[in-house]
Amino acid sequence: MTALRPNRPSRTIAEPFEGTKLKAEILAIAKAHGGREADIRPAVVARFKQALAEGRREAERLLMADGSGRMCSMRLSALQDAIIASAHEVATTVLYPVENPTRAERMAVVAVGGYGRGMLAPGSDTDLLFVLPYKQTAWGESVAEAMLYILWDLGLKVGHATRSVDECLRQARADVTIRTSILEARFLVGDKALFDELEKRFDKEVVEGTGAEFVAAKMAEREERLRRAGTSRYLVEPNVKESKGGLRDLHTLFWIAKYVYRVHSTDELVAKGVFTKDEAKLFMRCEDFLWSVRCHLHFLTNRAEERLSFDLQREMAERLGYTEHPGQQDVERFMKHYFLVAKEVGDLTAILSAALEARHEKSVPGLKGMVERLRGGQKRVKLKDSADFWLDHERLNVIDDEVFKRDPVNLIRLFAVADKRDVNFHPDALRLAARSLNLIDAKLRENPEANRLFLDVLCSKNAPEQVLRRMNEVGVLGRFVPEFGKVVAMMQFNMYHHYTVDEHLLRCIGILSEIERKTNPDNGVANDLMATIKPRHLLYVALLLHDIAKGRPEDHSVAGARVARKLCPRFGLTAVETETVAWLVEQHLVMSTVAQSRDLSDRKTIENFAAVVQNLDRMKMLTVLTTADICAVGPGVWNGWKAQLLRTLYYETEPVLTGGFSEVDRGKRVTVAQAQLRHALSDWTDTQFTTYAARHYPPYWLRVDLDTKVRHARFIAATEAAGATLATSAEIEPDRGITVLTVLAPDHPKLLSVIAGACAAAGANIVDAQISTTTDGLALDTIAVRRAFDRDEDEARRAGRIRDAIEKALTGEVRLPEVMARKLPKAKRTFSLEPEVTVNNAWSNRHTVVEVSGIDRPGLLFELTNTLSKLNLNIASAHVATFGERAVDVFYVTDLMGAKITGAARQSTIRRALIGVFEGSFDEEEPPRRVVARG
C-alpha cells in the first residue's frame, strides 16, 4: 500500500554504523590527552556527539530510501554498540588499565531489554548490564562509572545495573521482568567467557522447567498493559509500542517462543513446526512495518513518541509514501494498513497459542485462552447435527483438514454451530479456516444454506458480536460479505469515531444484543421498544450495513442503502424487508441529528421528523438503531442527556404518526418525570417540591435527564439558601472526558454569549450546551467543556478558574471585549473541514433556523453568537453539539421585530458573515443579545 521506492539501497549495516573508523579516532583522542579523565571526557564526548548526529541523519535518510524499519533499528543499535565499545576501550586501556587483572577484575558489558535484541528506535533508552564474576571491585566500579558518564554527557537515556552472575540468576528467578531482560541479553564488549557463563547458567538454572510459569506471567502482564492502553486493537490513535497488535505484542510472542522453544530467530520456529514459512515471513513483515512506523514517529517528533495521534498521522502518511484515493485520504489508507498489520499480529498470536497447546502447557489468562490446560475426561465428543465437527475439550474443532474442501458451506457452518452450542473455537479450526479463504467464492456467497447460517449467527440471541468478531479476525466475514471486507481496518480521520469502521459495526451488534436482553438501563427507551419490534432480524442486518459504504466518494448513507438492496435478497430477506433495511441505512443519521440539533418543543420539528419516518414501526426501529449506533462510537459518547433527547423526540412524534394516540401522552410524561424527581429528592417536603416544580416549563421536564434534574434542584436550592441570584457549579465526568458547568443567573439577552466568551477567555472549549429558563425569570444553563487535565485535582482547579471567569463576566467585573481582544495563539490545525451554513425557514413555524458546522475551537460559540448579534438577530434558542473536531451549532433566530428572515439578500449576508468566523475575518466587539423562547 506504500508508494514504490526506486533504487532501494542495499539493506546492510556498514559505515558509519559499524564504527570502525570511530573507534580508532576515539582511542587516538583519548591517548592524545595523556590519560587525564577531566580532559579526555569532553574531547571524546564531542566526537561521539558528532558521530551520533551524523549516524542518525544517515539512518533517517536510509529509512526514507529503503523503507525498512528493522534495518533502521539495527543500524541505530550497531551505532550504539560502536559508541559503547569505544567508551569501554577508553575506560579500560587509557583511564583504568590493568596489566595483570585478577580473577575479580573482569567485566562483561551486556545489552539487555529491547537493546538486547539488536534493535533500537531513535528515541529509545539504552539498557546495559555490567556483569561481574563476584562482588564489585574498585576497578569495575571505576570502569562502569567512566562509561556511564560519557553516555550521560552524550544525552543518552541509559538504564543500567551492575550484578555478579549469581546475583543475576537469583534476581531473574524472583522477578519476571529481570528474567525477560536477561532472556534477550546480548554480549557487547569485555569478558566474553563471563557472558557465556551467564547465558549457560541462566538456561539451566532459571529457564529449564519453568516455561508454563513464564508464559502465565507474561500473559498476565500483557492483560494489564492492554487494560491501561485499551483492549481493542482498533483504537484510532494507537500506541505503536503498547497497544494491542503493536510491537510489544510481537515482542511478547517472541519472548514466549524463545523461552519455551529455546530459539533465537523466527526461522528456528519454522524448523520447530510452530510457524509455516509464510507465517514466519508474515511475522517479519509485521515487525518491519511496525518498526518503520516507530522510527519515523521518533524522527518526526524528535522524541520517544509512541502514540500515533491525529496531529501526526497525516505527516506520517506522507513520510511513508501513501497517496490519496477516491473516497479515502492518504492518512486513512496509512491507518488502514496499520490496523491490518495489527490484525495480523493477532493471527500470529492465535497460531502460537495452538502450538503451545499442543505441548500441553498449563493454563494462563488472556490471549484467547492461550496455553489452556487440557481438561480431564473424554477429549473428543462427536456432534449429532454435524459430522464434520467435534468438541475438543469443549471447544469446536474440525474432524480433519479436508472439512472445508469437502463442503465450503462448513466455513460458515463452523461459526453457526459454535454460536448454537455456545462454545469456544479450537485454534486449529480457526487456523484451517484462515488458510481456506480461497474457497469462499461467488458460488458460496449465493448459496442459500450458507446465507441462512450467516443470518442465524448475525441475529443470534446468544453472543452474536463475539462470534462475528472471530469470523472477522479469521477473514471469513470479509470474504463472505466483500462489502464488509472493504471497511475492515478502515479508520475515519476524525476525532469523533474511536474505532475503525468494522470494529464500530461489530460493537453495534453487541449493543443491540445488550438492548434486546435489557441488561443495561442506560440504553433508555430502546430497551422498552425492542420487545415490540417483531422483525428483529431487520435491525441486526441494518446495523451491520449502516456504515458499510464508508470510504466511498459519495454519501455513505445513500451508497449504503444501495448495498443493502443488493445484499438483503442474498441473505433471504423479502422485497418489503429489503426496502425497510435500505430505508434504515439511508436514514440512520436523521434521528440523532434532529434530537441533538433541533428544538424539540417546536411543532414543526416534530412534523418534519414524522414526515421522514412515516410510520410507528419504522420510528421504533430507527430509535433502537440510533441508540446502538451512538453507544458504539466510543466510551463516553452516549449519555443520559442524549438518551433523554431520543426519548422526547420519540414520544413527541408518536401522536403525529398515530393520529393523536400516544402510548404515553405529553402531560403524563411530565407528571412521571416530576414523580421521578420527587422520589430522588426524598429529603424535601411536599411544599418545597411543589414550589420548585412550578418553576420549570414542560420542555425542561421532557428534555433533561433525571441525574441532571437532581443536580439542578439541589444547586438552585443551595443558591437560594445562600441568598444569591448568581451562582455556578462544576462536575467532572471522567468517562466522557468533559467538565460540566451549571450557571444560574437572571435571564437576559446577552447571557449565552457572555458565558461562551468567559469560557473562551479561560481557555475552555464548549462541546455541549443545554439552555433552560424558569418561570420566574432565571436562566439555568448547563455547559460542557472539554477536559484539559488527566488528574481530577488539576481539572477541578481549572473548573474553578472557569467558574470565576463566568461570574466576573456576568457581574461586569471583567469586560469581555477587552479580554477577548487578547486572543490565545491559534492552535495547529490537524483537520480540514469546509464550514457550512444553512439558513432554513421550513424547520420552524416561528423562527428561521441557522445551522453552522465547521472545525471546533475555543471561543467559537462566542464568535458565532456575537456575529448574529451584529446582524441584528435575536437568538430564541441555541443547540450546541460537537462530534469530535466538528462543531454543529443551531440557532433559532428572528429579526428585531420577531419575524423570520425571508429575504434572499439578508440570508446570503448571514451565511457570509458566519463563514467569515471560521476564516477569522469577522471583527469581534460586543456580545450579542439573546431572547429566550418561553413554554
Side-chain angles (χ1 to χ4, degrees), residues 12-20 22-23 51-52 54-62 71-72 74-83:
T12 56
I13 297 175
E15 291 292 343
F17 308 106
E18 285 185 327
T20 306
L22 177 66
K23 293 173 188 173
L52 195 58
E54 290 172 353
R56 287 184 173 176
R57 280 196 298 271
E58 179 64 5
E60 184 174 11
R61 186 190 70 80
L62 290 170
M71 283 307 304
C72 180
M74 290 164 68
R75 287 170 182 138
L76 290 171
S77 177
L79 178 62
Q80 199 83 316
D81 291 355
I83 289 172

Side-chain angles (χ1 to χ4, degrees), residues 264-384:
H264 294 85
S265 71
T266 49
D267 290 340
E268 292 178 72
L269 287 174
V270 175
K272 298 271 187 180
V274 178
F275 288 157
T276 64
K277 286 184 179 179
D278 285 343
E279 289 160 352
K281 288 178 182 175
L282 178 62
F283 186 101
M284 297 293 283
R285 280 202 309 273
C286 290
E287 187 180 44
D288 192 40
F289 175 81
L290 291 171
W291 268 109
S292 293
V293 172
R294 190 181 185 205
C295 288
H296 273 294
L297 202 51
H298 285 202
F299 280 130
L300 177 63
T301 60
N302 199 30
R303 63 178 185 270
E305 179 60 67
E306 309 294 358
R307 185 166 165 261
L308 266 173
S309 56
F310 283 124
D311 59 325
L312 298 173
Q313 288 176 9
R314 191 179 294 280
E315 285 185 83
M316 286 289 292
E318 292 173 1
R319 285 177 69 99
L320 286 157
Y322 291 83
T323 55
E324 190 170 323
H325 279 196
Q328 271 198 293
Q329 302 176 51
D330 50 359
V331 63
E332 291 172 335
R333 295 185 66 239
F334 158 53
M335 292 307 296
K336 178 168 185 174
H337 191 181
Y338 178 91
F339 291 121
L340 286 172
V341 168
K343 178 182 176 296
E344 287 170 338
V345 172
D347 295 341
L348 291 167
T349 295
I351 290 166
L352 184 61
S353 165
L356 287 168
E357 286 194 32
R359 290 174 62 92
H360 298 189
E361 295 286 353
K362 73 178 282 188
S363 176
V364 298
L367 217 57
K368 304 184 187 70
M370 185 185 224
V371 203
E372 291 194 66
R373 184 193 299 277
L374 293 177
R375 301 178 180 90
Q378 189 178 3
K379 291 184 178 181
R380 297 193 173 196
V381 178
K382 290 187 177 181
L383 305 181
K384 293 179 181 178

